[in-house]
Amino acid sequence: GGGAPAPPPPPRGAAGGIPPRRGGEPLYDSDYENSQEDDDDQSPAESNGGGGNAAVTAKINQDRGGIAFPYGGCPRTALFAAYDGHGEGGEMVSQYALHEIQRRLEVHPEFGPGRDVAQAFKTTFVHVDECLQVEEEIEPLYAGTTACVCLLRGTKLSVANAGDSRAVLARRMEGDDAPFVPRDAATGAAEEGKDAGSAAAPKVRLAPFDLSVDQNPDSPGEKERIISAGGFVSPPPEPGLSARVWLDPTFTQIGLAMARSIGDHAVKAVGVISEPVVTHYDLTPRDEFMIVATDGVWEFIESAEAVDIVQGFLEKGLGASRACQGLIEAAAAKWHEYEGDYRDDITALVVRLDGIWDHGAKGKSGEGEGKGDGSAGEKKDEKKSEEEAAESKERSEEQAEKEERGLDL
């Protein structure tokens, strides 16, 4: 397709010329800070490549994650969300979305019980996207964010997703419908070569259930919308990489690796929309926990493996925060194995669902972020006591915006 009105020329680095990376980032080199300011001939992406000096490149952490409880004035309602920002100022878009979606959703006329919460989600996402245009400190033309937001009301779960962050449910299986998966006793990770009768096998059998679907540019329905709006979709250049959205048939302008997002206004005219896909679920006593994470987790870890990793920690009584930390560490190890010194931002939430309202949503969940940078730096951890967790409900925005944390919420 073609014929869409062209936005202003993209910034340097947004028009191709950067080696393809895994993950959902557009081809913006502005996501990086290069300490060698006098070396204009070497792009940050190139200096971060194989064999280069990774120490000179630091990636801005653009992920955000949040938990709101109680939510909407109800002690049996909570909101869980993960956002993956990208582009120059993408961290400001994800931060804005984190606060504004939470703030606007609960006052939407359709938010109340028995109303159309799907419509509330859709109009809230779209309104937040539109309001970015009047934010003086945010330029949403070439910056954006994914949004995976989960609203839990009693046993009713609604998931609104725009982009390729993902929510996954772990459901306890009964009978012979799921095999035992042995685990490493030290790490909680699945072991290979162990039979099902091993003592290391889990106590219960859990199966993954994807609560959201990644909205890639070549996904059914997404690709057709983009092409009909005048955009162009390039296929994945190789297995494991993403299809991308372009303004031109020669694939030189933009290259966004998702079909829906908040922000990214340069490609809104060619079918990239901010309206989320909203799905609803009735939780059962067999539903053990939920994972909400950005694609820093999902790039190399499938939903089943993530469930297995988290289950391994929870079975040892280590709690949601330690399980969340273990999942982030496993994802970081995968990035190092496959990409060397490069690592995407990693944000994850683990929410234990069994008896969640007995102790409060924050007492049954863990949240963490791992900063992805050129040197693949270590994630810093914080532990909070139960008393501190109660106070964390009123923590300042500055504390909530810490780039790296592991909160025992």
Side-chain angles (χ1 to χ4, degrees):
R12 184 178 69 86
I18 297 177
R21 286 280 188 193
R22 291 181 176 269
E25 304 294 332
L27 296 181
Y28 299 140
D29 63 2
S30 53
D31 289 357
Y32 297 84
E33 294 175 339
N34 193 347
S35 62
Q36 292 185 327
E37 295 179 356
D38 57 343
D39 186 4
D40 293 333
D41 295 331
Q42 184 181 37
S43 74
E46 292 167 340
S47 67
N48 197 30
N53 183 3
V56 304
T57 302
K59 187 180 186 303
I60 300 171
N61 189 352
Q62 299 183 306
D63 275 12
R64 295 294 183 269
I67 300 171
F69 171 78
Y71 186 66
C74 178
R76 290 175 61 85
T77 299
L79 195 71
F80 308 94
Y83 301 87
D84 183 355
H86 50 256
E88 184 174 6
E91 69 279 4
M92 291 187 287
V93 179
S94 58
Q95 183 68 33
Y96 181 81
L98 170 69
H99 287 286
E100 290 303 304
I101 288 178
Q102 174 182 321
R103 182 179 72 85
R104 295 168 188 258
L105 179 65
E106 65 180 338
V107 297
H108 193 282
E110 294 295 331
F111 179 77
R115 307 300 293 270
D116 189 352
V117 70
Q119 187 59 38
F121 264 123
K122 291 176 181 179
T123 55
T124 297
F125 273 50
V126 171
H127 192 206
V128 168
D129 177 69
E130 293 172 346
C131 287
L132 284 170
Q133 300 181 48
V134 297
E135 288 295 313
E136 293 184 358
E137 297 183 359
I138 301 177
E139 175 48 73
L141 195 62
Y142 301 108
T145 185
T146 69
C148 187
V149 185
C150 304
L151 174 68
L152 182 59
R153 281 174 161 163
T155 59
K156 305 289 186 181
L157 179 65
S158 297
V159 179
N161 188 57
D164 57 4
S165 295
R166 188 187 309 168
V168 176
L169 182 71
R171 175 165 292 171
R172 186 171 65 253
M173 304 305 292
E174 297 177 349
D176 297 325
D177 27 14
F180 283 110
V181 182
R183 283 182 189 71
D184 179 87
T187 66
E191 289 189 75
E192 297 181 0
K194 294 287 188 71
D195 60 34
S198 168
K203 299 175 183 177
V204 297
R205 292 167 289 186
L206 299 183
F209 183 75
D210 285 350
L211 298 169
S212 62
V213 177
D214 300 351
Q215 292 140 7
N216 300 314
D218 56 350
S219 297
E222 307 292 335
K223 180 178 180 179
E224 289 77 7
R225 185 187 65 249
I226 292 167
I227 292 175
S228 65
F232 301 86
V233 177
S234 63
E238 62 182 69
L241 297 181
S242 177
R244 293 182 181 266
V245 181
W246 306 86
L247 295 173
D248 62 316
T250 55
F251 305 148
T252 62
Q253 295 185 51
I254 307 299
L256 186 69
M258 62 198 70
R260 302 187 187 218
S261 68
I262 293 172
D264 297 309
H265 289 179
V267 286
K268 284 295 188 279
V270 294
V272 175
I273 61 176
S274 57
E275 180 179 296
V277 173
V278 183
T279 47
H280 306 284
Y281 306 91
D282 291 316
L283 298 183
T284 74
R286 293 193 298 150
D287 297 326
E288 296 279 333
F289 59 83
M290 175 176 66
I291 302 169
V292 187
T294 61
D295 74 339
V297 169
W298 309 120
E299 189 63 51
F300 298 109
I301 294 180
E302 297 294 334
S303 299
E305 184 180 359
V307 165
D308 187 62
I309 291 169
V310 170
Q311 183 188 7
F313 287 97
L314 295 182
E315 284 179 347
K316 298 171 186 174
L318 297 177
S321 289
R322 182 64 186 91
C324 187
Q325 179 184 344
L327 177 61
I328 289 173
E329 290 170 350
K334 290 282 190 179
W335 277 96
H336 183 71
E337 176 183 353
Y338 290 103
E339 295 289 333
D341 290 326
Y342 176 83
R343 189 176 83 196
D344 197 4
D345 300 327
I346 303 170
T347 293
L349 288 78
V350 170
V351 184
R352 298 183 66 176
L353 298 171
D354 180 35
I356 184 171
W357 306 123
D358 297 337
H359 303 91
K362 285 193 174 182
K364 302 285 284 187
S365 61
E367 176 187 5
E369 295 184 2
K371 181 178 180 181
D373 57 23
S375 58
E378 294 296 321
K379 185 177 76 71
K380 193 166 52 178
D381 300 312
E382 284 185 87
K383 291 292 183 181
K384 287 182 176 285
S385 66
E386 292 183 3
E387 292 80 8
E388 291 175 311
E391 295 174 0
S392 71
K393 181 172 66 176
E394 299 179 0
R395 68 186 183 274
S396 66
E397 289 187 2
E398 288 77 12
Q399 290 173 313
E401 292 169 13
K402 287 181 179 179
E403 287 190 350
E404 301 178 44
R405 61 190 186 276
L407 303 181
D408 191 359
L409 296 173

